[in-house]
Amino acid sequence: MGKTHTITLIPGDGIGPEVTDAVVRILEVTGVQFAWERFAAGAGAFEKHGEYIPKELIASIERNRVALKGPVTTPVGGGFPSINVTLRKKFELYANFRPIKNLPGLDTRYPGVDLIIIRENTEGEYVGLEHEVVPGVVESLKVITEKGSTRIAKFAFEYAAKHGRRNIHAIHKANIMKMSDGLFLRCARDVSKGYPDITYGEHIIDNTCMQLVMNPYQYDTLLLENLYGDIVSDLCAAFVGGLGLVPGANLGAEAAIFEAVHGSAPDIAGKDVANPTALLLSSVLMLWHLGESGAAERVQTAVEKVYTEKKTLTRDVGGRAGTREFADAVIAALG
Ligand code: NAI
């Protein structure tokens, strides 16, 4: 029998528990042994434990160094700080890795897209430093550091070099934010010099959005600051069928948290209609990370089979199946 992987599991809220349940059921039949340490986070955790992120959850990630996480709702314009951002900062998960790739068999607006989004995950506008200077005037700080920019650029170039990617574009607004985005670019440029086989380019964020929609094939790997990466990820998800499909990983030296790009989707929560593919493909990234390459390939192949057969797809991609039914189809495809 193989090693048992102890994983911190955060089902989250909204559609989180439904998609997490589907993914855990699928992972349980891969033959890989898992022990799940399950924790609430956000409003649900506060009701139960009086804490938005229970201490036991932090200790569990510290111990296991790997977590699988469903989305957690963040109140808009007030309330508690984002659980996602807090966990990324706490564990210095500085690299947010999001592959955007078509699934075989699924017709989308753009066929054959194969893009990698690498988003800086701890700095920028997400440092949460905001205050009211005087009534009616709010100051919000964007923090860009040489250390943070250099390490995410190194991550991007190392990834590209290892996986045969042909070019990296750093995306910026250094024409306006001359110092902060200027520093981000300078660091990316410096790092790029160590990788002469990878073509390096720089595009301004607003033009990039237009270029992406006109012709996403001109890009290969995008290197972005935190906020730009957040926005561009959702835009690129639309190329391959929407947010129900795009996986993600938050990676750092000490821990890794695997989660989909999408949020808690309150508009469809509790109806058994959410597409669990995005979290399932995030769990495939987790299997690779755990060294379980055989299981990773088998789950990927099973997902592709279900999409190619087109019989058991969820509503967001033109099917009629529920979340549970889709998971059952993947389990059947796993044999
Ligand atoms: P969202 O990503 O939850 O939903 C946007 C749209 O995509 C909705 O129409 C939703 O129904 C659809 N969608 C998302 N995931 C889907 C899936 N798996 N299957 C089918 N359709 C899906 O974004 P929204 O509505 O802006 O945010 C809702 C909440 O989620 C907010 O509180 C936000 O802060 C939070 N959020 C949490 C994230 C996380 O935990 N990592 C990431 C993004 C947002």
Side-chain angles (χ1 to χ4, degrees), residues 152-214:
I152 193 66
K154 276 192 181 150
F155 179 94
F157 278 92
E158 271 303 297
Y159 177 84
K162 266 198 204 123
H163 294 85
R165 310 295 303 194
R166 56 184 198 281
N167 69 58
I168 293 183
H169 280 86
I171 307 303
H172 66 95
K173 190 78 185 173
N175 50 333
I176 305 299
M177 277 159 279
K178 295 176 192 292
M179 291 187 73
S180 53
D181 286 20
L183 175 58
F184 184 80
L185 280 188
R186 235 180 8 262
C187 296
R189 233 174 265 159
D190 283 351
V191 172
S192 76
K193 290 179 189 140
Y195 299 83
D197 295 338
I198 298 166
T199 313
Y200 171 71
E202 295 171 354
H203 279 178
I204 294 177
I205 179 71
D206 32 350
N207 174 38
T208 304
C209 292
M210 188 275 292
Q211 296 288 349
L212 275 166
V213 174
M214 295 292 279

Side-chain angles (χ1 to χ4, degrees), residues 15 19 69-75 84 88 234 243-244 259-268 273-276 316:
I15 59 170
V19 292
K69 179 183 161 298
V72 178
T73 303
T74 308
N84 316 307
R88 291 167 189 170
D234 279 32
L243 282 168
E259 65 177 341
V261 170
H262 66 72
S264 56
D267 52 335
I268 57 166
V273 297
N275 189 347
D316 56 315

